[in-house]
Every structure is written in structure tokens, then in C-alpha cells.
Amino acid sequence: MKNVMLLLSAAVLLLAAGCTGSEGGEQEEPDLEALYAAGEEACGWTAEEMTTVEGELMDAYYPGLNELDVKQLVAKVPAMSSVVNEIVLVRCGTEEDAEKAVEILQARIDAQVQGDAWYADALEVWKKACVLQEGTCAVLIASGDHQADWESRIQKELS
């Protein structure tokens, strides 16, 4: 009887340990810079083709994003091109702030679709753009030829 109880206890402990997913029960957050760099390489973009959105442009494109508890932010757009390739990866301190980031990023898409995108080709890309959230991460993807690739990559890495 003692052996059976001992085996059952061991089985319960093993199952409980296996449910945590990793040591300490914490899941390691992906590095958003590395995630972006891998996607940039897969698209064949060079570092010179894309520029970081910051300062006044950040406030104009994503008003309110700088007011959130942001732990990591990657916001890239083409340096000189009429082709839409806008990628924003943001990790917030809380899921509540990530939800606010989703609203801000969706507002960017909505503004482009409602008239800020001047060219027909650009408008079509913005209509297919999306915002994703996984935990404390929020992502905007607007990338004509690479939309599906970015969505797949982000969902795989963040889930």
C-alpha cells in the first residue's frame, strides 16, 4: 500500500512539474529586436531600406503609445518607398497596457484605410493589415507582399 501511495505521489509531482512549461514556471519572452531582424532577413530587406519610427513621427503615427509601460519596442517603416511595409512590435509591462497598445495600433490602420493612404495599392495593403496580441505583446503588420509570412512568424514566436 505504501508503494502505491508513493508511486501516486511521484506521478502527481511529475505531472505538476510538467505543467509549468519551464523551470520556475516563467515563460521566456522573445527578443522583439531579434524577431524583427529574422523577419527582415526573410523578406530580403536590408537595414538601409527600413528606418526606426521615433520622436515626433512616433507620436504622430501611434499617439499614446509612449505613455504606456513599454518594455521593448520595435517600429519600422520603409526609409524611402511608396510600398507599405510597416511593422510594430511592442511588449508592455501589463496585459492591460498591451490591450491599449492594440487600440493605438488599430487606430493607425483605421486612419490609413479611411483616407491617409493616398495610393490605391497602399490602401489595399492597409485593408489587409492586422493587429495581433499575445499576452503583453501587441503587433501591427502592414506588409503587402509579406503579410502572411509576418503573421505566421509572429504567431509562431509569440504563442
Side-chain angles (χ1 to χ4, degrees), residues 55-157:
E56 291 179 13
L57 193 56
M58 175 67 74
D59 293 334
Y61 281 10
Y62 322 108
L65 195 59
N66 283 330
E67 298 168 16
L68 302 178
D69 178 18
V70 173
K71 301 299 183 192
Q72 190 177 17
L73 173 66
V74 178
K76 300 283 188 169
V77 295
M80 296 286 288
S81 176
S82 62
V83 176
V84 177
N85 283 310
E86 189 164 323
I87 308 295
V88 180
L89 310 167
V90 59
R91 180 186 295 97
C92 297
T94 65
E95 285 191 30
E96 181 179 81
D97 275 348
E99 291 169 5
K100 291 176 185 174
V102 164
E103 292 173 11
I104 291 166
L105 298 175
Q106 186 61 52
R108 168 75 174 153
I109 293 172
D110 295 345
Q112 293 300 305
V113 170
Q114 294 169 5
D116 286 354
W118 295 356
Y119 304 107
D121 290 345
L123 180 59
E124 290 307 309
V125 172
W126 281 106
K127 285 180 179 179
K128 295 175 185 172
C130 72
V131 175
L132 307 171
Q133 180 185 356
E134 182 65 41
T136 60
C137 291
V139 177
L140 178 150
I141 305 166
S143 182
D145 292 339
H146 305 285
Q147 185 73 30
D149 295 336
W150 272 104
E151 286 182 36
S152 175
R153 176 180 304 280
I154 296 300
Q155 288 172 341
K156 179 182 173 192
E157 293 296 323

Side-chain angles (χ1 to χ4, degrees), residues 27-47:
Q27 186 175 4
E28 188 175 319
E29 295 281 352
D31 176 14
L32 299 182
E33 287 284 347
L35 179 55
Y36 173 78
E40 183 180 67
E41 183 178 342
C43 291
W45 301 338
T46 65

